Amino acid sequence: MDPLKPESFNHRTEVLSTGRAYHFVDQLPVDYDPKRHPTLLCVHGFPDLWYGWRYQIGPWVRRGCRVVAPDMLGYGESAKPTDAEEYTSKKLCADLAALLDVLGIVIGHDWGSYIAGRFALWQPDRLLALIMLSVPYTPPTREYIPLTEVVKRAPNLGYQLYFNDQKSSHEIPSHLGKFVGLMFADVSQYGDKQLDFTPKGALEKILADSKTPTGLPTILNDTERAYYIQEFGKGMHGPLNYYRTSQYRHEEELAARLPAALSADLPYLFIWGTHDPTATPFVINKARKFISKYQDIAIEGRGHWLMVEAKDEVTKHISEWLEHLTCSHPRELSKL
């Protein structure tokens, strides 16, 4: 398993019991036994792929875990439904449950973190523990708040209005090099405020502006950058559909009367970077109110893409946390 050689991982594509085809990496430890080895289901965010976990898969497998890292619906080699309604958290969680053949630990980052949190609500019996990276847990709400109103309250989410617009599905593929550069930018290497794509209307202007540099410094090396451009070149409509599901998600959650709090006995870990604008003290403190076994780890000086920026720290912290669970819950977590 070489992080710079995607082909060195064990790739599978299966039609799940939900009827949707998923591509995923399925890496087994030596002498794998489902009764003894836990499954870590790693859920990536936007814009990412199974490849986002490339630095963690090998170490966790060598520790004795089975690691399953899918291309989420709409990404890479997985199915790409056109209708945004197919990308609700309820349906995605059903897909993820179908990927698991034993109780497991779900680890999510960014959008994957949000989905992982909802997995704990939609599929609580399938979890041994929950780990979320970068994006804190947010509970279901009883009132639907339109995205336009959300952006008024949080202007740094203005870019989501562009992602919600169907035109972004066609425009972003025309500027993939620049788009990948912006998404994975190494913010420590430049401080140009003109490249802040988060306010309303900023991202589409930056992408269309011929003066915007295409060779921005990123946290990716040339091989990694090329792989992302290649895979995102297969289509951006599916990934962007995640931003078009807010009302569908709200209606499903309201109809199911999903609880706001996670199960009281669910072990929970949140890992975040102190330089990540998505992990603010306000939302982190709000999450604590709904999680009984809340634990968090702040990684100083790191940003949003923790699996790359802090690859060794993430691997180490999660491995040690799992070891602690083994000691603290020998009966419930004997599989660990």
Side-chain angles (χ1 to χ4, degrees), residues 65-327:
C65 297
R66 177 186 184 182
V67 180
V68 176
D71 278 339
M72 289 298 287
L73 192 74
Y75 288 85
E77 296 297 325
S78 291
K80 298 176 177 61
T82 301
D83 191 344
E85 192 173 0
E86 296 302 311
Y87 294 80
T88 64
S89 55
K90 179 181 180 180
K91 292 180 180 178
L92 293 173
C93 289
D95 290 342
L96 295 178
L99 275 172
L100 292 172
D101 56 6
V102 294
L103 289 172
I105 297 163
V106 175
I107 307 174
H109 173 257
D110 187 80
W111 254 106
S113 183
Y114 174 84
I115 297 300
R118 286 304 187 265
F119 190 90
L121 301 180
W122 286 112
Q123 304 283 344
D125 295 336
R126 300 303 302 271
L127 277 179
L128 288 173
L130 175 62
I131 303 171
M132 297 173 64
L133 278 66
S134 300
V135 173
Y137 173 75
T138 55
T141 61
R142 295 303 167 195
E143 178 186 0
Y144 174 66
I145 303 175
L147 182 57
T148 50
E149 180 60 30
V150 171
V151 171
K152 288 180 182 179
R153 301 181 187 184
N156 65 314
L157 298 180
Y159 66 93
Q160 294 190 12
L161 291 171
Y162 180 52
F163 289 163
N164 185 63
D165 193 322
Q166 294 289 331
K167 69 179 183 180
S168 62
S169 293
H170 308 290
E171 293 178 356
I172 289 177
S174 300
H175 307 283
L176 271 184
K178 193 181 297 184
F179 178 73
V180 169
L182 287 169
M183 296 298 109
F184 292 91
D186 184 350
V187 294
S188 68
Q189 298 298 313
Y190 72 90
D192 190 347
K193 295 296 184 181
Q194 293 180 348
L195 296 182
D196 180 7
F197 63 82
T198 60
K200 177 182 177 181
L203 180 55
E204 52 264 54
K205 291 180 181 178
I206 292 173
L207 291 177
D209 188 351
S210 61
K211 297 180 181 179
T212 303
T214 57
L216 296 172
T218 74
I219 59 170
L220 308 174
N221 61 39
D222 290 344
T223 300
E224 293 168 330
R225 182 185 178 111
Y227 184 75
Y228 276 112
I229 291 175
Q230 168 192 298
E231 293 301 299
F232 295 155
K234 296 174 181 177
M236 288 299 299
H237 184 70
L240 290 163
N241 267 342
Y242 285 68
Y243 291 91
R244 301 162 184 163
T245 62
S246 59
Q247 187 161 3
Y248 298 128
R249 284 185 276 117
H250 175 77
E251 292 171 355
E252 287 178 343
E253 292 171 1
L254 195 63
R257 298 178 180 269
L258 288 189
L262 301 185
S263 297
D265 60 350
L266 179 67
Y268 176 93
L269 176 65
F270 178 58
I271 302 179
W272 54 288
T274 59
H275 286 182
D276 184 354
T278 64
T280 65
F282 174 79
V283 292
I284 291 174
N285 290 331
K286 181 180 178 180
R288 293 176 188 270
K289 301 176 183 178
F290 302 95
I291 304 170
S292 298
K293 293 193 173 183
Y294 183 94
Q295 291 178 267
D296 73 345
I297 297 173
I299 302 181
E300 293 294 332
R302 302 298 186 179
H304 185 68
W305 300 100
L306 290 176
M307 298 101 75
V308 179
E309 294 181 64
K311 56 181 181 294
D312 295 332
E313 295 100 313
V314 167
T315 301
K316 175 177 177 289
H317 287 314
I318 291 179
S319 296
E320 290 179 350
W321 191 73
L322 294 175
E323 292 288 353
H324 175 72
L325 286 184
T326 305
C327 298

